[in-house]
Amino acid sequence: MIAKISSGKDTAGLIRYLYGPGRANEHTDPHLVASFDGYAPDPGRADDPAATKKLLVADLDLHVKQARRLGRAPERHVWHCSIRAAETDRHLSDSEWADIARRIVAATGIAPEGDPDGCRWVAVRHADDHIHIAATKVRGDLRPARHWNDYLTADKELVAIEKEYGLQQVVRGDRTAAKRPTRAEQEKARRAGHETTARERLRFTVRTAVSVATSPEEFLGILAATDSVLVEIQRFPSGDIRGYKVAIEGDTNVVGEPVWFSGSKLAPDLSFPQIRDRLTATDQPTQTTEQYRSNPWLQATAAAEHIPDRLDQGDDAAAQAHIAAFGEALDALPLLAPKELWPPLRQAAAAFERATRSRIRAEHEHASALRGAIRAMRTQPAPRDGAMLAMFLDVAILAVIAAGRWHQLRQHDQQVIAAHQALVHLQAAYDQASAVPLAALAHRKPPAPTVERLVALVYEAVPAHAQQVLDDHAWAALATALSDAQASGHEPATLLQQAVDQRPLDDARSPARALTWRIQRLTQRPSARTRAAQARTVAGPRTDLPVQGQPLPAQQPATTRGHSRR
């Protein structure tokens, strides 16, 4: 069930609407199902409906008129709550709707149970699947109703009602979702020939600017340089930036002025203070190889690869920061990817946007490594062979799955749905992006003797999935990746075992493809042979070698060489 609550100042107008034909003649058989005292007149069952409506309005407005004479009546004294059942729910009886109405007015503070001075209200039913509660917000003691947070309290009561009545349990949010476009905005967009509203287009533009900016000032500069976007900056008397608002050029109101949206009106995390916190968050530098530092795609892939582990560490504030930073990565990808991948990548970013926010406050400094790598990727486009992009999308899929699981454990229902939707689009982008680099690897398939040795390694490393891997269409690409790794100084058996140990293959759509990208990522790290050579170079020439003509040194006890870090 879903509740919608609003306020107004015309009791008679609301009653006329509830007992009228509706905007499209959808109101059938309007009648009362419950009221504040059980004796309110019902225009739907009266011989003279017009006169009965006046009596009903007079009953509801009694305390309002009394309070108005004392100067204590609220200006918007009407409280209107519509409650709608799901399409799949059974049709409830009038008595069941009456019980629901009483519970809602009690839970919201309009008419608390057992309170003789509760507000006056009626519940009107004019369709099978919903009712309307009309109330006046002045109590019998002429004090205003105490109905703070009425939407939340009504929603909480509806959760209990759904369970008790065996109705569909509606997915509920946590008030962190972006505001939906109004019907007027949607109709305005359609008249202008746009698929999305100005609010939605501006939200996408602002999120993209945040994903590539390195400072609050650069963020505002990117917005100002964006075609067809108007930006206005608000400042404190000191000159410091207080906020910003944006509009689309040509999108005007009835008097010809631009329709402005502040950042917080676009989405809760797009206010200037929140953007500033994200762009100025810093963390201790992490230890990375020179190759990773010089290649932001490798750095971003490595950071995204660790997101599932970060989400399992029990630090919710840090986990929320990593999910938010990953959302910025998805926002930036359409700017860095080939044009043919823009549609699925933009759809993935738009869907995952809802999963980037929850009631858990993010500590953004924990995710500065990923955020910094994404900013650096803007200066170094992905190689044309597409391997780096496919590799990043491969780990991105795992990150989205992990984010959905993390939200599910915390009962963030809307975020779970958003993650599942993003996963569909991201997998479509990955399938498209990985086709060319995998085909290039398969084209270089190693000779038959090498392949036979690699087949034996697969049976040894993944006995449970060996045949599935070998039958996979991506097996030739995996064989090439293992052969290339061996040529660069890596041990294929060790490398394959490490790749298998990273994450189970049970839910992999293509285990050979998954192992291929894991092998590719592992081979970006220096091999044991390379590390040993680097260690000898750093240590300098050996001084313990005997000089010609001198006796050999005495035998020294053997020492255990430390394990190299994988």
Side-chain angles (χ1 to χ4, degrees):
M1 287 188 159
I2 296 176
K4 183 179 180 180
I5 297 176
S6 60
S7 60
K9 49 187 178 182
D10 185 5
T11 309
L14 177 57
I15 294 301
R16 283 197 301 271
Y17 167 74
L18 296 181
Y19 280 95
R23 294 187 177 93
N25 294 318
E26 73 275 17
H27 296 179
T28 59
D29 187 27
H31 60 280
L32 283 185
V33 294
S35 65
F36 62 97
D37 62 357
Y39 298 103
D42 182 3
R45 297 289 184 266
D47 294 333
D48 188 348
T52 309
K53 288 178 188 176
K54 292 180 181 180
L55 292 175
L56 179 59
V57 171
D59 277 1
L60 291 173
D61 276 346
L62 176 63
H63 298 319
V64 176
K65 292 179 179 179
Q66 293 171 337
R68 188 172 291 141
R69 286 197 291 268
L70 300 175
R72 294 162 56 180
E75 180 181 1
R76 301 183 67 83
H77 65 271
V78 177
W79 187 84
H80 177 205
C81 175
S82 61
I83 305 171
R84 184 176 298 274
E87 292 182 1
T88 56
D89 286 338
R90 62 182 176 84
H91 289 173
L92 301 175
S93 65
D94 281 356
S95 61
E96 289 175 317
W97 277 119
D99 175 61
I100 292 170
R102 294 187 190 96
R103 292 176 63 168
I104 292 300
V105 295
T108 56
I110 293 295
E113 187 176 0
D115 184 354
D117 288 324
C119 299
R120 295 193 163 199
W121 61 273
V122 294
V124 179
R125 182 180 187 181
H126 53 214
D128 289 331
D129 62 348
H130 69 278
I131 60 169
H132 292 262
I133 303 174
T136 47
K137 297 189 289 186
V138 178
R139 292 166 44 81
D141 52 16
L142 303 188
R143 292 185 298 165
R146 296 184 290 267
H147 63 102
W148 297 283
N149 291 324
D150 49 9
Y151 175 78
L152 293 180
T153 53
D155 204 48
K156 184 178 180 180
E157 186 66 24
L158 288 177
V159 172
I161 289 171
E162 288 168 351
K163 293 179 180 178
E164 293 176 25
Y165 278 81
L167 306 176
Q168 177 182 330
Q169 296 185 27
V170 176
V171 174
R172 289 179 163 81
D174 53 10
R175 305 188 78 182
T176 63
K179 185 178 179 181
R180 294 180 179 179
T182 64
R183 171 182 281 185
E185 290 174 341
Q186 293 172 338
E187 292 177 351
K188 185 178 182 181
R190 280 195 292 269
R191 288 195 302 269
H194 297 295
E195 294 182 1
T196 56
T197 65
R199 184 194 300 271
E200 292 168 311
R201 283 179 281 155
L202 286 170
R203 184 165 66 244
F204 173 79
T205 300
V206 172
R207 286 186 63 85
T208 303
V210 172
S211 71
V212 296
T214 59
S215 67
E217 294 74 19
E218 185 181 13
F219 159 72
L220 294 172
I222 292 173
L223 279 185
T226 303
D227 291 341
S228 303
V229 174
L230 305 177
V231 182
E232 186 173 298
I233 300 175
Q234 294 103 24
R235 297 182 182 273
F236 291 109
S238 63
D240 294 334
I241 298 175
R242 178 171 61 89
Y244 72 98
K245 56 183 181 179
V246 289
I248 291 181
E249 189 174 346
D251 181 40
T252 58
N253 56 21
V254 292
V255 295
E257 298 173 340
V259 179
W260 294 99
F261 295 89
S262 64
S264 59
K265 292 296 183 182
L266 298 176
D269 59 343
L270 295 183
S271 67
F272 185 76
Q274 292 222 30
I275 290 175
R276 181 183 56 212
D277 290 347
R278 288 154 66 181
L279 296 181
T280 57
T282 58
D283 195 7
Q284 295 296 324
T286 56
Q287 200 172 25
T288 57
T289 66
E290 183 63 32
Q291 186 178 16
Y292 273 46
R293 285 193 294 268
S294 63
N295 190 328
W297 281 88
L298 290 178
Q299 187 179 352
T301 301
E305 187 177 12
H306 289 104
I307 287 178
D309 296 329
R310 300 280 191 266
L311 302 187
D312 289 339
Q313 290 179 358
D315 187 340
D316 281 359
Q320 182 64 62
H322 283 290
I323 293 175
F326 178 71
E328 294 175 23
L330 294 185
D331 291 332
L333 275 184
L335 301 177
L336 309 171
K339 189 174 182 179
E340 60 269 18
L341 292 177
W342 289 359
L345 289 177
R346 284 175 174 170
Q347 290 170 323
F352 194 76
E353 181 254 352
R354 180 65 190 97
T356 60
R357 294 185 300 272
S358 73
R359 300 296 291 179
I360 298 171
R361 184 177 179 84
E363 294 178 356
H364 292 292
E365 63 272 13
H366 292 286
S368 59
L370 175 59
R371 189 172 287 111
I374 294 301
R375 271 61 174 177
M377 285 164 62
R378 184 179 60 163
T379 64
Q380 184 172 332
R384 292 188 177 183
D385 63 2
M388 287 293 181
L389 176 59
M391 197 182 304
F392 181 83
L393 291 176
D394 178 61
V395 300
I397 288 173
L398 296 179
V400 169
I401 294 173
R405 187 180 301 116
W406 185 83
H407 281 303
Q408 188 171 29
L409 291 173
R410 286 151 187 82
Q411 298 181 341
H412 300 164
D413 296 336
Q414 288 188 353
Q415 290 86 337
V416 172
I417 293 175
H420 290 167
Q421 292 171 342
L423 181 61
V424 173
H425 299 302
L426 206 57
Q427 286 176 333
Y430 167 69
D431 289 340
Q432 191 173 348
S434 63
V436 172
L438 285 174
L441 285 172
H443 184 69
R444 296 191 296 106
K445 185 177 179 180
T450 303
V451 172
E452 290 178 6
R453 290 196 300 271
L454 295 176
V455 168
L457 289 179
V458 170
Y459 274 109
E460 182 179 348
V462 282
H465 299 279
Q467 198 58 49
Q468 187 181 0
V469 169
L470 298 175
D471 292 339
D472 197 324
H473 66 279
W475 159 241
L478 174 58
T480 303
L482 288 169
S483 179
D484 289 348
Q486 185 174 23
S488 62
H490 292 272
E491 183 61 42
T494 303
L495 207 59
L496 185 59
Q497 190 61 57
Q498 289 176 348
V500 172
D501 291 342
Q502 281 186 350
R503 196 160 298 279
L505 294 172
D506 298 321
D507 56 352
R509 294 186 300 158
S510 170
R513 188 169 59 177
L515 289 174
T516 298
W517 297 124
R518 294 181 195 178
I519 294 294
Q520 293 277 63
R521 292 195 294 274
L522 289 170
T523 53
Q524 301 299 330
R525 306 171 186 174
S527 65
R529 185 188 307 171
T530 303
R531 289 195 297 269
Q534 291 173 344
R536 287 195 298 271
T537 302
V538 172
R542 292 182 62 179
T543 58
D544 60 337
L545 295 177
V547 180
Q548 187 175 7
Q550 290 184 350
L552 291 172
Q555 183 73 24
Q556 298 294 327
T559 58
T560 302
R561 182 172 298 177
H563 293 290
S564 60
R565 182 172 61 87
R566 292 179 180 174

